[in-house]
Amino acid sequence: MKKMKMTNYMPIFVLAVVMLWAKTYISQKTQFTLEVEGGLQEFLVLINPLGSALLLLSLSLFFKGMRKYWALLSIYLGMSILLYANIVYYRFFSDFITLPTLFQTQNFGDLGGSVLTLIQPLDILFFADVLLLGALVLSKRMEKDMRAIKKRMALPLIAAALLISLFNLSLAESDRPDLLTRGFDRTYIVKYLGMYNYALYDTVESVKASSQRVMADSDDNTEVLNYTKSNYASPNEAYFGAAEGMNVIYLHLESFQTFLIDYELDGEEVTPFLNSMVEDPNTMYFDNFFHQTAQGKTSDAEFMLENSLFGLPKGSAFITKGQNTYQSAPAILKDKGYTSAVFHGNNGTFWNRSEIYKSFGYDHFFDIESYPNTTEADMAEYGLMDKPFFEQSAPLLESLPEPFYTKFITVAHHFPYKMDQQLATIEKGTTGDASVDNYFQTARYADEAIKQFFEQLEASGLADNTMIVMYGDHYGISDNHNEAMAEVLSEDITPVENAKLQRVPLFIHVPGMDGGVNDTYGGQIDLLPTVLHLLGVETQKYVHFGTDLLSEEHEELVMFRNGDYVSPEAYSIGEAFYDPDTGLPLEEGQLEEAEMLKQRGRYELQLSDGVVNGDLLRFYTPVGFTPVNPSDYYYQEPRNTEN
């Protein structure tokens, strides 16, 4: 049989460009929620993969002989892997991979099971085109053209690719001005510029953020200090010092959302103990408290409650800013005589905790190595199950000198919400969506574990002198599951309802304090000044972007990392503004004030990012504050805390 003659490299090159263009367009339309509206945006989603596909694959034209075929296949494979990785990542996080997330390698070993649940059998089709291209390159029946591609052919192709990309950018800017300078929301970048141009944009922005520390100096603090001091909210006299001298325990409620509180599944309460805490006379429950996390998820929540600084828009500050100077809660309270500790039944390296906790000034970090009695049956996918975790933590907690400031990080109620059915005390949901259906069983287990912990505190005698703060860290069910959530809540998930699903529980229990349900709008950025004021610690001299939730001066504006916000008067979602009560778009006369709030909130995000990326707190030490020296702390072995 005669070999097929290919006298020109270009047919296989054109096939590769067309296949990659088509695959990317279909993926962007079907795998991501880009909220495409109107003919122009539809055209942009269609055209934006073409320029980058043509440009990057054109790099193969500069190779000679067989190497240009291998270069074409390698570039094609790399772009396909990038696309597919974002598809899998998006299925849970409803977000796109950023450069900093790729450096969170210490977390990878614990993510295996979660990733596997996100991979679907039909995903093999994403690589069918790669196999076809590989077969053409490897085929011995196809005679290869070993001639070098002439520049007069290669350069016009590259010029055409650049022109397509510039045309794409100009149309995008006409529809959304300042797209690249106001890139709070990665969804907009992908929608307008495409997946591959987004990856380039993200790389440039990440490098710029990393360079900020080198360029920063003490003068950069002036604007930050002026802003935070002018937005300081003085404490409410009725609550200031209500917990003075008490121990502090944070209970980190993994993946808890507010809709669980008082929710009944087939007539049965999912979280009976937490429901009872809403009615507890010494507990204040905040029913309009929102998570403000981004890609750092749990670590973002911790970062905000310890520092009242926003997490980063990309990646995790725990990973990339672990060596920064901080004025965190453990360090602030150390000057008040507090001992500090974190309890977590997972590896200490997860989210770089074993390093950044030193920068926060935590005296002790009890990770999985501090729980030697753990059996395989006690382990969840992300560490020690909550009930044995609390049980084994009891002697460690009781050995700490008082007063203490502590945090317990639970893991049982974590995606993909699987558990041993012998431990389940409530049935699964019946939506047909596994994540949503499983969610109720692990939530019930976590609720039972929290009740157990409260009973342990009573038995130890610590309960009467301890403030307990329970907070949800981030959503558990992403908006990719809104169809199932509509069935759970018996209502359509509109943009406003989706925003309300970002509410997470906040309980503040203080013995002797008058409790009740508090409707104040707030977020995780507000926790630190709230807790410090309850302890009788004034916060005006610190750089805090949140304000005391109990203060009469607290402004009820909750900023999200993508630049959206919620308040009692307006919800800013994407480019639209909604009435939170009716769910309808705001009327014309209300838009100016709503837009002003958005701009002010985004300015606050920029200032906070400047503090974190520039490590600006190294240039500012409040009067009376003792700076943290991370080298004073060592967590590698379980510690005996009796002395």
Side-chain angles (χ1 to χ4, degrees), residues 263-277:
Y263 184 83
E264 293 187 0
L265 183 66
D266 296 328
E268 187 174 357
E269 290 180 292
V270 177
T271 58
F273 179 73
L274 290 178
N275 295 348
S276 72
M277 292 301 294

Side-chain angles (χ1 to χ4, degrees), residues 106-240:
Q106 56 263 69
N107 290 1
F108 289 174
D110 293 288
L111 294 176
S114 294
V115 172
L116 289 176
T117 64
L118 298 172
I119 296 175
Q120 301 170 1
L122 290 178
D123 286 355
I124 188 65
L125 296 177
F126 283 107
F127 294 95
D129 54 329
V130 178
L131 296 175
L132 173 60
L133 187 63
L136 292 174
V137 169
L138 295 171
S139 175
K140 294 182 179 180
R141 295 181 55 204
M142 182 174 291
E143 185 176 325
K144 305 300 188 298
D145 186 351
M146 298 300 179
R147 295 172 297 177
I149 304 297
K150 295 180 179 180
K151 289 184 179 180
R152 66 172 181 265
M153 181 175 293
L155 294 179
L157 283 172
I158 293 174
L162 292 173
L163 285 173
I164 292 171
S165 296
L166 289 173
F167 176 62
N168 179 179
L169 179 59
S170 64
L171 286 180
E173 286 282 344
S174 69
D175 195 57
R176 191 175 194 275
D178 302 321
L179 173 67
L180 297 182
T181 57
R182 299 171 61 194
F184 286 94
D185 193 334
R186 284 173 284 277
T187 300
Y188 287 122
I189 305 297
V190 174
K191 176 169 68 174
Y192 284 104
L193 301 183
M195 173 54 62
Y196 309 116
N197 286 326
Y198 156 74
L200 175 62
Y201 166 82
D202 170 64
T203 301
V204 172
E205 290 298 303
S206 296
V207 171
K208 284 169 57 179
S210 297
S211 67
Q212 278 186 252
R213 189 183 191 283
V214 177
M215 305 299 293
D217 59 38
S218 58
D219 292 339
D220 295 326
N221 264 329
T222 303
E223 189 175 7
V224 172
L225 290 170
N226 288 339
Y227 180 83
T228 55
K229 292 189 185 314
S230 66
N231 285 277
Y232 165 78
S234 58
N236 186 326
E237 291 183 3
Y239 292 99
F240 186 74

Side-chain angles (χ1 to χ4, degrees), residues 571-582:
Y571 279 23
S572 169
I573 303 170
E575 295 300 294
F577 296 95
Y578 298 90
D579 184 303
D581 296 321
T582 66

